[in-house]
Amino acid sequence: VERIEILRGPASSLYGSDAMGGVINIITKNPQKQQWQLTLEDGVFSRGSNAYKNWALRYDSGKTGAFSWSLSAAAKEEQPLISEKATNMSLNMYGTRWPINFKGIWDLAPGRRMVFDIDYLKEDLERLNSTRYIYRNTRLDYSVAYEAKYAKGDYQIRLYQSVLDRDYDRRNITTGALSSFDVIRRT
């Protein structure tokens, strides 16, 4: 992470209609040198059962002339935390998330550059209660930005689009019968 920006209130609407209250924008580091990074995580709940198993892989191309790019992919798998008080009730959303990201940078001149981003996220999540909730979501975000830094200030012109496809089912926990569903596309 290079830096974290926190926007509160109406200024966060720059990030879409779902960001009315605020946004935490995490800006990742730009690829500077060629390198691979592999991260493996394994966690357990306090009772000893598996909590999650995650892996992430990132490749930075390093700077070649005026260009640099990075590619990352991950699988984040969270297990259900089952309530001790109620049978078949999970206290958390569980399942797997697969994020994939590409970032390309073209340095036009000192202090000026173009930045290209593509982010893809696929989620297969569930939650058990008296009902079984199933979420199948995909999100595709892409942007192109022109950034400039001057002695008196910095600015950025950015064009971006986000597409969210959400498929939500609510089923009876014993029979599996569908009680409600929703299919949404937000752009």
Side-chain angles (χ1 to χ4, degrees):
V1 172
E2 181 179 308
R3 70 182 188 274
I4 299 174
E5 298 174 345
I6 300 173
L7 294 171
R8 295 185 177 131
S12 62
S13 64
L14 292 169
Y15 291 88
S17 61
D18 290 337
M20 294 183 322
V23 167
I24 298 174
N25 187 16
I26 300 172
I27 293 95
T28 57
K29 290 182 180 179
N30 296 322
Q32 296 297 319
K33 62 181 181 175
Q34 185 178 21
Q35 65 181 3
W36 286 93
Q37 181 179 359
L38 174 64
T39 305
L40 302 171
E41 297 177 320
D42 194 5
V44 294
F45 292 121
S46 60
R47 290 181 298 206
S49 60
N50 285 338
Y52 60 85
K53 292 179 186 290
N54 300 334
W55 65 263
L57 181 63
R58 178 183 169 103
Y59 174 73
D60 290 330
S61 70
K63 198 159 186 175
T64 307
F67 298 98
S68 59
W69 59 274
S70 66
L71 180 65
S72 63
K76 300 183 178 288
E77 181 182 338
E78 188 166 346
Q79 300 297 318
L81 175 58
I82 304 299
S83 171
E84 292 178 359
K85 296 178 182 176
T87 308
N88 292 330
M89 183 174 157
S90 66
L91 301 173
N92 64 325
M93 293 286 291
Y94 61 91
T96 307
R97 293 178 174 92
W98 294 274
I100 300 171
N101 171 265
F102 172 82
K103 181 176 189 175
I105 300 171
W106 178 20
D107 289 324
L108 302 169
R112 291 186 284 158
R113 67 185 187 171
M114 297 289 295
V115 180
F116 308 92
D117 273 306
I118 300 172
D119 290 301
Y120 175 79
L121 174 64
K122 180 177 168 69
E123 297 178 306
D124 289 324
L125 304 174
E126 294 185 27
R127 181 162 188 211
L128 294 174
N129 206 322
S130 57
T131 305
R132 181 176 178 199
Y133 300 92
I134 303 168
Y135 301 89
R136 305 290 180 252
N137 306 318
T138 58
R139 179 186 293 268
L140 179 62
D141 302 316
Y142 43 94
S143 70
V144 60
Y146 174 77
E147 299 175 351
K149 295 181 184 248
Y150 295 99
K152 294 185 179 181
D154 303 344
Y155 72 89
Q156 177 187 66
I157 298 170
R158 182 173 177 232
L159 302 171
Y160 63 93
Q161 184 167 15
S162 181
V163 179
L164 170 65
D165 287 313
R166 175 171 283 174
D167 185 355
Y168 159 78
D169 291 351
R170 185 174 167 191
R171 296 185 175 272
N172 182 294
I173 199 165
T174 53
T175 65
L178 182 66
S179 59
S180 69
F181 70 95
D182 205 355
V183 178
I184 300 169
R185 172 169 265 214
R186 289 187 180 171
T187 302

